[in-house]
Amino acid sequence: MLSRAIPRSVLRSTAASSSSSFRASNIYLGRQSRRWYASEAEEKDLVIVGGGVAGYVAAIKAGQSGLKVACIEKRGTLGGTCLNVGCIPSKSLLNNSHLLHTIQHDTKNRGIEVGDIKLNLDVMMKAKDTSVQGLTKGVEFLFKKNNVEYIKGTGAFKDEHTIAVNLNDGGETEVKGKNIFIATGSESTPFPGLTINEENVITSTGAIALKKVPKKMVVIGGGIIGLEMGSVWSRLGSEVTVVEFLGQIGGPGMDQEISKQIQKMLAKQGMKFKLNTKVTKGDASAESIKINVEAAKGGKEELLDADVVLVAIGRRPYTAGLGLENIGLDVDERGRLVIDQEYRTKIPHIRAIGDVTFGPMLAHKAEEEGVAAVEFITKNYGHVNYNAIPSVMYTHPEVAWVGQNEQELKAQGVKYKIGSFPFSANSRAKTNLDTEGMVKFITDAETDRILGVHIVGPNAGEMIAEGTLALEYGASAEDVGRTSHAHPTLSEAFKEAAMAAYGKAIHY
């Protein structure tokens, strides 16, 4: 924390903007009718539009750094999509549906015999909501602790230094800022021909709030969101079919070998997959939704029936109602705000972070950008290593990776080595009766430097942190292999995979 006031010279943004790459959080912006006008407050050092992960983290960091900061959020609760209707509530449902699935299908093998098991969906949803409410209130407390002014309302640019706010409780105000961050996040990409109602044609928002288990669910899109939410409802009793245009699930970032493994595992759990398949049209006019699909390259059409259709074809930046036209800011062909290496738009004191700009739409990426953007204001330097941003899919088993995958390295002509180790040879996994999956290291063939780590298996989401740290510090596989890992732990599979990359694993 800074013990003295930040000089005005530091607070002024310098250098003209260039066109590079970077990111934003989530808030839905629009103009409301004018009723009364609140008096203008003092100029802030920083005004942040959007209270999602990028925005609230930046606000807290700025408050810790001694800046006078205000954060504008329309939703009425902080945390954006991630905390309110995304990462957090979906993990609650994933965890609790996994517990149900384990009790129904696995505890007998562990010597635990139970009676009749039934789902109380209302209570499961209440548990999810309780988690969300506690965390959003926690962020609000951190705002108070760090002297961040929290303005509940819809913000739009009046001019380059002024945000006009339609307050949720009625009336209007204006907030002036020496610096302004745009952290307005993203929204689900709609599917042409299917109108989202969040009841039977849903996005991820509707998928965490269904009032009953659908008999049949079709998921359009086999990326992480589609697979996670499809997994939840499959465990709860729905017949889930995933339709994916690409030839693999998990998205192009997932290593193809890992993708094939997790597809087999999810199929064994009951999920169905139609890869290299496109949806040509959908009809939701009747009680049962009709989805027409055919091979991605063309072919015979097939008709799918569903009670619920989940549209999970990705997300797009959200800037509607932000008033970008009032200050001459443009977006690119994908709706992203163009920024330079210091997150500045072409107006240097206005920066964009998180989903609203370039890069993977991940909460932890947005978090890092929130911190770095504030540091550029207060210190004139900041840091995010975009080559060491982990990704996690919270199915069971989990899938996690960081760095490059095999298909990327092949395309680049990079010479590499592979070291892998199966959880079936790991003592802790065997005692847990949870042995599906593997750890895979990809290293530079000449230097042994780690280029990527890919895991499918138990605890993958936690284990990938070690791989991320290794990448951040430029470690070799031998560095990891010569580091003692506690026995018996799942992380020993990580060490053994590293050993296999530069020599030989001991236990396989």
Side-chain angles (χ1 to χ4, degrees), residues 106 122 181 195 211 225 236 325 486 490:
D106 194 34
D122 290 341
F181 287 179
T195 302
K211 292 180 172 57
I225 293 174
L236 298 182
E325 66 280 0
L490 296 170

Side-chain angles (χ1 to χ4, degrees), residues 27-232:
I27 159 181
Y28 302 96
L29 297 160
R31 304 289 286 169
Q32 300 174 351
S33 59
R34 293 175 178 261
R35 286 180 281 236
W36 55 271
Y37 184 78
S39 59
E40 183 181 321
E42 63 177 325
E43 184 179 41
K44 301 290 184 180
D45 296 322
L46 174 62
V47 175
I48 301 169
V49 186
V53 178
Y56 90 67
V57 169
I60 292 170
K61 180 66 177 178
Q64 291 173 343
S65 301
L67 303 186
K68 294 177 180 178
V69 56
C71 182
I72 303 163
E73 169 59 64
K74 176 186 177 182
R75 190 186 296 272
T77 54
L78 296 166
T81 294
C82 174
L83 210 164
N84 289 276
V85 293
C87 322
I88 299 303
S90 67
K91 300 311 162 291
S92 173
L93 294 178
L94 280 159
N95 181 68
N96 293 335
S97 64
H98 175 60
L99 286 174
L100 175 67
H101 192 266
T102 299
I103 293 169
Q104 289 175 329
H105 301 283
D106 194 34
T107 55
K108 188 176 181 179
N109 300 327
R110 301 169 184 271
I112 304 170
E113 296 185 4
V114 295
D116 293 337
I117 302 298
K118 65 178 181 178
L119 167 68
N120 188 325
L121 187 59
D122 290 341
V123 174
M124 185 176 284
M125 290 296 178
K126 185 177 179 181
K128 171 207 69 175
D129 295 338
T130 299
S131 300
V132 170
Q133 289 163 9
L135 288 167
T136 56
K137 290 296 183 184
V139 177
E140 197 165 338
F141 167 76
L142 291 173
F143 269 26
K144 292 177 182 177
K145 179 181 177 181
N146 293 286
N147 300 312
V148 175
E149 183 180 357
Y150 173 25
I151 302 173
K152 297 181 181 182
T154 300
F157 281 96
K158 182 178 180 181
D159 58 46
E160 292 183 3
H161 283 279
T162 308
I163 304 294
V165 185
N166 283 313
L167 299 168
N168 288 357
D169 292 337
E172 298 181 341
T173 190
E174 289 183 356
V175 189
K176 286 186 175 291
K178 297 182 181 75
N179 294 273
I180 297 174
F181 287 179
I182 301 172
T184 48
S186 61
E187 63 180 351
S188 294
T189 303
F191 189 86
L194 283 174
T195 302
I196 303 296
N197 58 24
E198 299 298 10
E199 292 179 1
N200 64 345
V201 181
I202 62 175
T203 64
S204 55
T205 299
I208 62 166
L210 291 176
K211 292 180 172 57
K212 63 179 182 179
V213 179
K215 185 176 179 181
K216 290 184 178 182
M217 174 183 279
V218 169
V219 180
I220 304 176
I224 290 177
I225 293 174
L227 294 174
E228 286 186 351
M229 297 317 304
S231 183
V232 166

